[in-house]
Amino acid sequence: MNLTLIRNATLRLIYAGQTVLIDPMLGDLHNMRTFAGISPNPTVPLPVPAAEVLAGVTLLIVSHLHPDHLDPAAVAALPKDVPVLCQPGDEDILRGHGFQDVTPLQEAVRVSELTFTRTTGEHGSGEILEQMGHVMGFVLRAPGEPSVYWAGDTVVIPAVRETIAREQPDVIVTHSGGATLGGTLLIMDAAQTVEVLRAGSDATVVAVHLESLDHCFTTRSDLRHAAQDAGLAARLRVPEDGETLTLA
């Protein structure tokens, strides 16, 4: 498997002969409103042209409809005949954007040799959780490839720990930028990423959703230092924007 971090949560996976694009945010630097009153978003440019991000994509996954996971630039640029997987409830909006082949991921879906199994998450807690709406993650498997648990926009909750224990994934992808709203954590921070490293005792953890939005306060350096202090740095990968990891 080759995993390329484009920016924020936008990933390209080369996996079992498919090119999977996850949560594309393709807009220019500072084209989106501020989330924390610090800077317009995204706070960093795309590391490669959008056309390069889209080249050869055979499957699109949209975990939820927040603009840092599917922005107008991506909607405009994506071919409308690319198959799309989404969470139940988002399919009508995606079809309204012109996508012709949209499948809600109810439980499990097979695409060629790839099997996607939906997982749950919570995009915050308390009153903020209701405001943020529903999100999903997934477990991905295919013959001859490492199993992947893509946790998505979630904090660490019992369901995350249960998924790791049940599925025993080879690779766990976390959103670890420590985004906050009104003082409430919306996705994992450094401490919660260390919790995932401990829970997935044999897994490689790939931390993304970092240093690209003005309400994400956990840095790559924070993550590396936290993992080092916990004695778990050997299993943490924190790619730079545009970097490709080969994971066996």
Side-chain angles (χ1 to χ4, degrees):
M1 175 181 74
N2 285 347
L3 178 155
T4 302
L5 171 62
I6 304 303
R7 176 183 60 185
N8 197 51
T10 306
L11 302 179
R12 273 177 59 105
L13 303 184
I14 308 298
Y15 192 91
Q18 300 290 318
T19 301
V20 182
L21 181 63
I22 302 173
D23 283 1
M25 178 179 68
L26 303 181
D28 292 335
L29 176 74
H30 294 164
N31 81 98
M32 193 187 302
R33 68 176 179 85
T34 179
F35 298 150
I38 297 171
S39 168
N41 288 301
T43 58
V44 294
L46 276 177
V48 296
E52 187 173 326
V53 177
L54 299 177
V57 168
T58 57
L59 179 67
L60 170 65
I61 299 175
V62 178
S63 66
H64 63 301
L65 297 176
H66 288 173
D68 61 312
H69 295 261
L70 181 70
D71 67 354
V75 170
L78 281 158
K80 298 306 181 286
D81 60 351
V82 65
V84 183
L85 292 183
C86 67
Q87 66 176 342
D90 289 350
E91 59 267 31
D92 287 345
I93 292 173
L94 290 164
R95 289 172 184 141
H97 286 320
F99 294 104
Q100 301 159 18
D101 183 2
V102 181
T103 301
L105 183 54
Q106 299 282 359
E107 292 184 1
V109 169
R110 184 161 183 170
V111 180
S112 186
E113 295 296 312
L114 284 62
T115 300
F116 294 87
T117 304
R118 183 183 169 200
T119 63
T120 60
E122 293 185 2
H123 200 354
S125 60
E127 295 179 359
I128 294 295
L129 178 58
E130 183 175 352
Q131 181 178 339
M132 297 304 291
H134 296 291
V135 295
M136 74 169 187
F138 58 81
V139 173
L140 172 59
R141 294 183 183 275
E145 293 283 7
S147 56
V148 179
Y149 170 34
W150 186 89
D153 267 11
T154 186
V155 292
V156 174
I157 57 173
V160 170
R161 299 186 188 94
E162 290 161 8
T163 297
I164 295 169
R166 180 181 67 250
E167 300 291 343
Q168 294 291 301
D170 299 308
V171 177
I172 304 171
V173 180
T174 59
H175 291 182
S176 296
T180 62
L181 181 63
T184 297
L185 194 64
L186 304 179
I187 59 175
M188 299 179 201
D189 59 6
Q192 290 201 350
T193 304
V194 168
E195 285 189 54
V196 170
L197 281 160
R198 290 192 172 113
S201 57
D202 294 321
T204 297
V205 174
V206 180
V208 300
H209 203 311
L210 294 155
E211 298 183 358
S212 53
L213 302 171
D214 75 329
H215 69 328
C216 288
F217 300 109
T218 298
T219 67
R220 289 177 169 91
S221 177
D222 293 336
L223 287 169
R224 293 184 179 113
H225 282 122
Q228 186 70 44
D229 290 346
L232 300 169
R235 290 192 293 106
L236 177 67
R237 305 292 296 274
V238 190
E240 300 295 327
D241 292 351
E243 183 178 353
T244 298
L245 306 179
T246 299
L247 300 163

